[in-house]
Amino acid sequence: MLIKNKAIVISKVRYRDNDLIVTCFTKQKGLVSYLVRGALKSSKKSSKAVYFQLLSQLQIEENSKVNQKLQYIQEVKSDYIYKSIHTNVFKSSIAMFLAEILATVLKEEEQNLQLYEYLEVTFKWLDYQEEFSNFHLLFLLNLTQYLGFYPETTTIDAPYFNLSNGLFETQSSNTYSVSGENLILLKRLLGINFDELNTIKINSKQRQSFLNLVLLYFELHLGSFKKPKSLQVFNQVFN
């Protein structure tokens, strides 16, 4: 059955000589993997591979078959053409890093319109902005809303945050209780929108420390989560 769908590229791997297996988060069906035949053929006047850069936003027409592991894309075109994400070295590093995380945490093979719209809007925001050094911190923190473990904020004035249960607490209860600079930054980030990010001024050491905290939070709440392989390169770029 031919259906039209919108998709955001999460990962891609070469298959045989000229094909790609591309995993996308789609608007209608959640996570879907596609076999794109001939995507890497250099003899073609316009290679399909250019469409499948990480986090690209596409309009596709797919030949959808129930219970088939790999679907087939019949037609593809850009839904939104990034102006800077794939050309700015800092933004492309963010794209690679976040795509690796999304490839690990997105498991839903069903429609999730709110999550799709979150990814769609926030990546457009990143593409447009000139100040974006804290983007990945707020992006990952907000992502936990859609994954089911966003911090409970009813007791946000408490002096500790427990990573293991996602609660603000009056006492340090275990090794996962957070205080100090990371706690202050967490409270500042909770509830703000992306347009307010430029009000948060932190140095690279603080940024890296808070990122490690967020990644630990993911590990504690998602059993299959592992720190991204691109983390070291990512930190080097932003240092």
Side-chain angles (χ1 to χ4, degrees), residues 80-95:
Y80 174 85
I81 299 175
Y82 292 130
K83 298 171 181 62
S84 61
I85 282 183
H86 296 138
T87 55
N88 180 297
V89 64
F90 297 104
K91 289 186 181 183
S92 62
S93 296
I94 290 175

Side-chain angles (χ1 to χ4, degrees), residues 26 47 50 53 60 62 67 128 134 166-167 174 184 199 204:
T26 70
S47 171
V50 69
Q53 298 182 77
I60 60 177
E62 61 179 89
N67 299 325
Y128 180 77
N134 296 323
L167 300 176
N174 56 35
I184 294 170
T199 65
S204 60

Side-chain angles (χ1 to χ4, degrees), residues 204-221:
S204 60
K205 184 178 179 181
Q206 291 169 313
R207 189 175 296 113
Q208 187 171 329
S209 175
F210 189 80
L211 176 58
N212 288 333
L213 179 146
V214 174
L215 294 177
L216 176 58
Y217 190 49
F218 273 68
E219 286 185 66
L220 291 171
H221 291 266

